[in-house]
Amino acid sequence: MAPLSGQECVSAVARLRRAARVRGWDVVPVRYLRLDRSDGGPEGEAAFAEGLEPDTHDLVVTKYGLSAFAGTGLSGQLPVGSHLVVAGVATEAGVMASVLDALTDHSVSVVVDAVTRGSEAGHSEALQRMEAAGASMIRLREILGESSA
């Protein structure tokens, strides 16, 4: 599967978030800040893409490395054994690092049509690696209850 454009990914993630909220699922928006402060550093406020701004009750995770679990305290805020549904940008970087870390204590589904990266080869390889590690690959329509026809 070819990676989506940035706007296509944002639209897909927005649809996923709406569906998650309707189902009463927790939503955990993750943002990346650089420790060298080139984007404001640890005190900075990285902007979320338009339409993906967190709600007041969301658990917002700020990461400084690839994984949303590395040094963020996220692991301790999720019940062990919970099922995570993952979407986002940088399939072969932040998405894959977070999924591989999550698989230690959780089952994980990656929404293949709500993740993206510029390189088709890197995107596909990352999806294969996450699946080989134990993550399931699902499509947005499966979550939304839409038929494939």
Side-chain angles (χ1 to χ4, degrees):
M1 167 178 271
L4 304 170
S5 72
Q7 188 54 52
E8 289 170 325
C9 186
V10 167
S11 295
V13 172
R15 291 179 67 205
L16 174 61
R17 284 177 36 156
R18 284 191 298 274
R21 291 191 199 302
V22 166
R23 289 163 176 75
W25 298 351
D26 293 329
V27 174
V28 182
V30 177
R31 63 181 165 191
Y32 171 74
L33 291 176
R34 297 177 184 277
L35 285 175
D36 68 4
R37 300 180 185 272
S38 62
D39 56 8
E43 295 81 29
E45 289 295 322
F48 286 91
E50 185 176 335
L52 297 182
E53 300 87 354
D55 285 348
T56 56
H57 59 276
D58 287 343
L59 168 64
V60 177
V61 172
T62 301
K63 64 179 186 166
Y64 304 101
L66 292 179
S67 175
F69 290 87
T72 64
L74 179 58
S75 293
Q77 298 185 54
L78 300 174
V80 172
S82 56
H83 184 79
L84 309 180
V85 177
V86 178
V89 178
T91 312
E92 74 267 29
V95 172
M96 184 169 67
S98 298
V99 166
L100 296 178
D101 283 352
L103 285 167
T104 302
D105 294 320
H106 309 281
S107 60
V108 179
S109 293
V110 177
V111 185
V112 297
D113 47 357
V115 294
T116 195
R117 188 58 176 193
S119 157
E120 185 170 349
H123 176 76
S124 296
E125 187 176 308
L127 292 174
Q128 291 170 5
R129 185 169 170 203
M130 289 183 282
E131 186 172 33
S136 63
M137 301 292 125
I138 61 172
R139 293 193 173 272
L140 183 57
R141 70 172 183 260
E142 295 174 61
I143 293 171
L144 301 176
E146 299 172 350
S147 70
S148 58

